[in-house]
Amino acid sequence: MSKSIQREEIENIYGKVSPFELKDKLISYASEARESGTRMLLDAGRGNPNWTASTPRDAFFTFGHFAVEETRRTYCDGALAGMPQKSGIAERFYAYADRNSGAPGITLLKQMMDYGISFKGFDPDDFVHELVDGIIGDNYPFPDRMLRHSEQIVLDYLVQELKYDLDAGQIKLYAVEGATAAMCYIFDTLIANNIFSQGDTIALMTPIFTPYLEIPHLPRYNFKVVEIKASELNEKGENTWQYPKSEMDKLRDPSIRALFIVNPSNPPSVAINKETISYLSEIVKEDNPDLMIISDDVYGTFVEGFSSLMREIPYNTIGAYSFSKYFGVTGWRLGTIALHEDNVFDRLLGRLDENKKARARRRYSALSIEPESIAFMDRIVADSRQVALNHTAGLSTPQQVQMVFFCLFALIDRDNIYKKQTISLLKKRQRLLFEGLGIELREDPNDAAYYTQFDLLQWATQNYGEAFASYLQNNYKPVDILLRLAEESSIVLLSGGGFSGPEWSIRISLANLSDESYSTIGAVTRKILNHYVAAWKESQAQ
């Protein structure tokens, strides 16, 4: 396909398809453009990090060798082995660790077992056997929602990193295949239980991850959507990516049934400030006490002192979290759904009319003689397997063990060395990008720096006035700069407009390229912007 045809295709689909679908077209366009040169393709459109947490992986695979050894203790005939036995397994693990003191991750492994046995007070054999049996994967997950010891450790991690609030009561976790699965499961159970109905109104805090914009309009849901826009500007006229009270006040309308949030946002990966959270809490208490809040906190670990809405508004909030970004584990699909035992979702189930309750009783009748007593969280688990396959529900046990090892790694790291490393890396890349752009970087303690959203029209107005901004709008389209970056420099970025951000903004992932690549992206973008400035000045002189 010729470049001109590719360009025309991209222009035609811009704003009509997901920005991720557009990105694939831009990659193809940029790849073809670079064939005539030697430059590298720089794809800053995807949030897959280019780092991994190696030490907990060392521990995981070394532990796997111990687990296989345990299967052969029971029965061994060539490749055919038995199932690990519980009695004495903790003592055998420590003996194995002593015999293999030079094995990768063995010191961390011993610290992990010590955490569960000494700090948490777990029965040694129960704890070690759960992990051994889990990593072998020879049994269905039981309990299906999450393995017992694993749930407690993962909750410790979420309390430490996201400040989940245990003072508000016990929290139940459901281990799932990343935040994507969490999102789908929550939507489905809200619909299946008639808490949501087609045509109901929900709110989205925008900009937001594209699927949150797309799912509500699927025929199965067909929700009305109210956007709460992060439109606050500072004294310099720059986006702070916070939400003014005028936007938050939309949530006082009780016809808005639910609020979906990615916090910190995606893009621009800025956490909601304390003032806005307090204001939201006030709105819920005063005007919308039945508001259901679904908070996706995947980027929270990149903000020092981050506090989830699971802490600030625990009764109304269901929390989704993914391990993908922090630990560089997107391929493992690891995440959680979290809900306090005392919550608005169960209250709304109890207030359904008799007709809707009868439908729910029929749906869950195979699970209990009192299906109306099944809690909302347990309904999510059942619905994830269409109820009938509830006995096979649950995240695979090897995945749960890997999740536990990541959590234990973070819990044992009392000096937060790994956390500081990831935050420092992102901040460095952000600084290099802005230096390349020739723009002063505004310090913001709420900025996760996982993405940057750069508003071209705002930049044009601030630096050259309304006349230049009008010139850009009248003579170019937002997609033009994305095409020029791809064609001239093989740089792929995403449109911020595809995330319901400012139409002329671009989204740059700071997670997936080398440090020096961000200097290049900044400098090339600056060069293109300067070209637009020169063309405008030339038009003014004519």
Side-chain angles (χ1 to χ4, degrees), residues 364-398:
Y364 302 107
S365 60
L367 306 183
S368 171
I369 59 173
E370 295 180 342
E372 62 273 9
S373 68
I374 299 174
F376 182 77
M377 176 64 98
D378 295 319
R379 296 184 191 208
I380 293 177
V381 178
D383 292 334
S384 75
R385 299 298 184 270
Q386 294 298 303
V387 183
L389 294 170
N390 182 65
H391 62 287
T392 62
L395 186 68
S396 81
T397 58

Side-chain angles (χ1 to χ4, degrees), residues 255-425:
S255 70
I256 296 177
R257 305 291 313 285
L259 172 65
F260 290 82
I261 306 169
V262 177
N263 182 33
S265 49
N266 173 16
S269 69
V270 174
I272 305 171
N273 62 29
K274 292 179 180 179
E275 293 78 14
T276 303
I277 291 174
S278 295
Y279 196 64
L280 174 58
S281 180
E282 175 187 311
I283 289 170
V284 170
K285 289 176 182 176
E286 293 180 356
D287 297 293
N288 204 346
D290 291 337
L291 182 69
M292 295 170 281
I293 301 173
I294 297 87
S295 183
D296 180 345
D297 300 333
V298 59
Y299 304 103
T301 46
F302 301 107
V303 175
E304 293 281 6
F306 176 81
S307 185
S308 169
L309 293 179
M310 281 289 293
R311 179 182 187 84
E312 307 299 338
I313 314 177
Y315 182 74
N316 296 75
T317 303
I318 189 166
Y321 177 71
S322 168
F323 292 78
S324 297
K325 305 302 194 295
Y326 191 44
F327 295 105
V329 66
T330 51
W332 267 97
R333 314 310 299 138
L334 304 177
T336 56
I337 297 173
L339 185 64
H340 282 85
E341 286 192 336
D342 184 23
N343 63 79
V344 71
F345 299 87
D346 284 323
R347 181 173 75 183
L348 292 173
L349 282 176
R351 284 166 37 186
L352 292 173
D353 63 43
E354 187 52 40
N355 180 51
K356 290 178 178 179
K357 285 182 179 179
R359 276 187 270 170
R361 281 195 291 271
R362 289 194 298 272
R363 181 176 181 84
Y364 302 107
S365 60
L367 306 183
S368 171
I369 59 173
E370 295 180 342
E372 62 273 9
S373 68
I374 299 174
F376 182 77
M377 176 64 98
D378 295 319
R379 296 184 191 208
I380 293 177
V381 178
D383 292 334
S384 75
R385 299 298 184 270
Q386 294 298 303
V387 183
L389 294 170
N390 182 65
H391 62 287
T392 62
L395 186 68
S396 81
T397 58
Q399 285 174 283
Q400 292 194 50
V401 173
Q402 179 68 94
M403 185 190 298
V404 167
F405 277 28
F406 284 128
C407 291
L408 285 168
F409 168 66
L411 290 164
I412 291 166
D413 182 12
R414 306 309 299 175
D415 295 325
N416 282 326
I417 295 170
Y418 180 80
K419 187 183 190 75
K420 291 173 183 175
Q421 287 175 317
T422 58
I423 290 175
S424 175
L425 179 63

Side-chain angles (χ1 to χ4, degrees), residues 145 151-152 155 165-173 310 338-343:
R145 186 166 49 77
E151 180 178 15
Q152 294 184 51
L155 183 56
D165 183 13
L166 293 177
D167 292 337
Q170 184 58 43
I171 295 174
K172 286 184 177 180
L173 299 182
M310 281 289 293
L339 185 64
H340 282 85
E341 286 192 336
D342 184 23
N343 63 79

